[in-house]
Amino acid sequence: MATTMSLMNKRRFLPLFVTQFLNAFNDNFYKMAMVMLVTYEIYSDPTREANFNAIAGALFILPFFLFSALAGQLADTIEKTKVIRMVKTAEIFIMLFGAAGIYLQNIPLMLTALFAMGVHSTFFGPIKYAILPQHLKKDEVLGGTGLVEAGTYLAILGGTIAGGIIPGDIAGVGIIIVAIIGRVTAQSVPDAPPESDAPTAKMDWNIFRSSWQLVRDTMHIPHLFMAIMAISFFWGIGAVLGSIFPPMVKNAIGGDNTVATLFTAFFSVGIAIGSIAVNRLLKGIVSAKYAPASVIVMGLFVLDLWWSVSHWGPVGPELMNWYSFLMLGKGDRMIIDLLGISIAGGMFVVPLYAFLTTTVAKSQTARTIAANNIVNSGAMVIGAIVYSLLVSAGVSIADTLFMIAAACLISAWIAWRLHKACDIAALQVRS
């Protein structure tokens, strides 16, 4: 097995890694700057803040549901680096609108830019995974996928911190600069032409028909069906957790924006650790054998987080900063919970993405990832909507965490079914 970190000095991997890193960084830089502006400066009502976070999350994910089929068709039928360069050019213009929304404190303009960034990421998403089997050897794919996933969440960490602490007027300039740098690094990504057995370049522009056909043609394969369902359930849970964090910090434990940033930062670090650790455990072999245990561990940490939040006590009128939070003592337990949730989550999801890209023909990888993105985004939008409905119905943040812990049991069952399906697929290959 090749040393995973050695990929970082290879042109066939590094430019793509950096471009994806900057892409994830800017997504979260912008989203966090927008969320903090709305949560701490524009709104002063817990229900409106929670609903805004849910709506923002759904708007960013909705393009994955609508346009992933087009993105998959495009990525499998034309030169992939052309798509990368096109979407990175578009990002510069999108961030100009986003910066204007931040400066003007115009919520519709900010949300429009967020939706456009979702469209941008929809077309970039299938490529970042589908291009790996073209540029990497078979025993490098799991390690490369882990590095991409770890880099993504470290970028989320950096973008989250930047968006959480940098004033809006400076953040507006920053998101434009990062978009420009991302376009420059995209120029160095090696060519990735269509495979010889790739489908024809004829596009089906009917987003509903093409999406349905793509999902149908992918999900009828048992092991792909289980992998996509497992990933989708995971991201559905993740969407609810992501929506919970800012209002939970402010309204349930009395923390300011620096505490919210601290939470997301530790969550991102944990995902990165889990993404690298699972490659070490699996020794480069793509397998889902650790997935059921990982998601059960994740659920146990969510359950402990529920206990901490539900027993936090009354929140004072003054919001505490990150240092005051850590000095309380009981804040340490919440940080450990966040790390446990995210490390287990990284160990759960990374092998599943590698599984999707290595068990289909290279000419079909982008479409497979696109089908996965469609189902994932549907689960995430449903998760965000369900959370918004729970908030409107008066369900507390602590009770929502308890429901998430229970949902992890369902995810563990799906993961166990997937592991069995993988075993059957492996036996069929050997026979």
Side-chain angles (χ1 to χ4, degrees), residues 248-270:
M248 179 182 75
V249 168
K250 181 183 178 183
N251 303 311
I253 66 175
D256 67 7
N257 63 312
T258 64
V259 180
T261 302
L262 183 73
F263 271 41
T264 309
F266 274 101
F267 193 81
S268 302
V269 168

Side-chain angles (χ1 to χ4, degrees), residues 88-124:
K88 298 310 290 182
T89 299
E91 181 184 359
I92 297 171
F93 294 98
I94 295 169
M95 288 295 89
L96 287 170
F97 281 96
I102 290 173
Y103 283 126
L104 299 173
Q105 295 195 1
N106 185 308
I107 290 177
L109 187 55
M110 286 189 285
L111 290 176
T112 299
L114 184 68
F115 179 82
M117 281 301 287
V119 175
H120 153 274
S121 294
T122 298
F123 281 86
F124 187 82

Side-chain angles (χ1 to χ4, degrees), residues 170-233:
I170 300 175
V173 175
I175 58 177
I176 297 169
I177 292 173
V178 174
I180 293 171
I181 296 172
R183 177 59 183 85
V184 172
T185 61
Q187 199 65 34
S188 298
V189 177
D191 291 345
E195 296 292 323
S196 58
D197 60 339
T200 62
K202 184 178 180 180
M203 297 281 292
D204 183 354
W205 296 101
N206 186 314
I207 59 175
F208 300 106
R209 181 177 60 221
S210 59
S211 296
W212 166 250
Q213 290 177 347
L214 181 61
V215 172
R216 182 194 61 193
D217 293 345
T218 303
M219 298 286 276
H220 79 279
I221 303 171
H223 59 277
L224 293 182
F225 172 82
M226 295 309 303
I228 291 172
M229 290 304 296
I231 295 171
S232 297
F233 207 90

Side-chain angles (χ1 to χ4, degrees), residues 271-321:
I271 290 283
I273 293 171
S275 299
I276 299 296
V278 74
N279 181 54
R280 291 295 186 92
L281 287 173
L282 292 173
K283 299 179 180 178
I285 300 171
V286 178
S287 169
K289 68 179 181 179
Y290 292 116
S294 295
V295 78
I296 288 174
V297 170
M298 177 180 165
L300 291 174
F301 278 109
V302 173
L303 193 63
D304 194 66
L305 182 63
W306 160 76
W307 177 266
S308 296
V309 172
S310 61
H311 291 78
W312 186 262
V315 174
E318 294 293 326
L319 298 179
M320 59 184 163
N321 61 22

